[in-house]
Amino acid sequence: MAPCSRCERLGLPCKVRLSTGRCGECNDSNGTCDLVLTRKKWEVMKKEHRKLREEALAAEESVERAHAALAVALAKRSRLSKQLLHVEDRAARALDKQEEIFEEAELVEIPAVVPELDLSSLDKLSVP
C-alpha cells in the first residue's frame, strides 16, 4: 500500500491503525492523513472534480469561439487585401494611360490658330 502524502513527504513509515483508519504517524501527531478516504472527503473531491471539469469545458468553448472569431478576422483581412491590390492596380493602370495621353499630346504639334482680325474698323476710331 502507498504511504499517505504526509508520510511520503516527510519520509516516515506509514502504517494504518485499524482503530482510526489513519496511519500511526498522522494519528500520533494529530496530522491530516489522506490514506483513508472518508465519505466527506470523497464528496469534496467529487464537487471539486465537477467544478474543474465545468471550468475546463467553459475554457474549451471560449477557445473555440476565439478560433472562430480569428478565422473570420483572417478571412476579412484577406478579402480586404485583395480588394486593395485590385484598386491599386486599377489606379496604376489609369495613371499609366494618362501619362501615355500626355506624352502623345506633347509629340503631336498643335497648330496655333490665330483668328484674323479686321483692323479696318480701328481706323474709324478716333484716338484723342
Side-chain angles (χ1 to χ4, degrees):
M1 182 193 290
C4 71
S5 57
R6 181 177 177 276
C7 289
E8 185 176 31
R9 187 178 69 247
L10 298 174
L12 301 172
C14 188
K15 296 182 183 171
V16 178
R17 288 193 181 159
L18 296 177
S19 61
T20 63
R22 300 179 347 154
C23 75
E25 293 295 331
C26 290
N27 195 54
D28 292 343
S29 65
N30 202 22
T32 302
C33 185
D34 59 2
L35 188 61
V36 177
L37 190 60
T38 64
R39 177 164 290 288
K40 183 177 179 179
K41 287 181 183 178
W42 175 251
E43 293 302 323
V44 168
M45 282 178 43
K46 278 184 10 180
K47 184 177 179 180
E48 183 179 8
H49 179 264
R50 190 177 314 116
K51 179 184 171 193
L52 290 172
R53 181 165 298 282
E54 288 172 1
E55 288 178 8
L57 180 61
E60 183 64 31
E61 290 171 352
S62 178
V63 167
E64 288 175 9
R65 285 191 304 273
H67 280 156
L70 177 62
V72 168
L74 289 172
K76 182 176 182 178
R77 182 185 70 176
S78 176
R79 178 180 49 81
L80 292 173
S81 293
K82 288 176 185 175
Q83 288 176 341
L84 182 61
L85 287 174
H86 179 69
V87 167
E88 288 172 347
D89 185 52
R90 283 183 22 217
R93 283 185 301 194
L95 286 174
D96 288 345
K97 185 66 176 171
Q98 190 64 43
E99 188 175 332
E100 285 177 23
I101 292 170
F102 287 145
E103 288 173 359
E104 288 175 8
E106 289 174 358
L107 295 176
V108 174
E109 287 195 28
I110 301 174
V113 178
V114 179
E116 291 188 24
L117 297 175
D118 181 16
L119 299 177
S120 62
S121 60
L122 289 177
D123 293 337
K124 297 177 186 174
L125 293 175
S126 62
V127 179

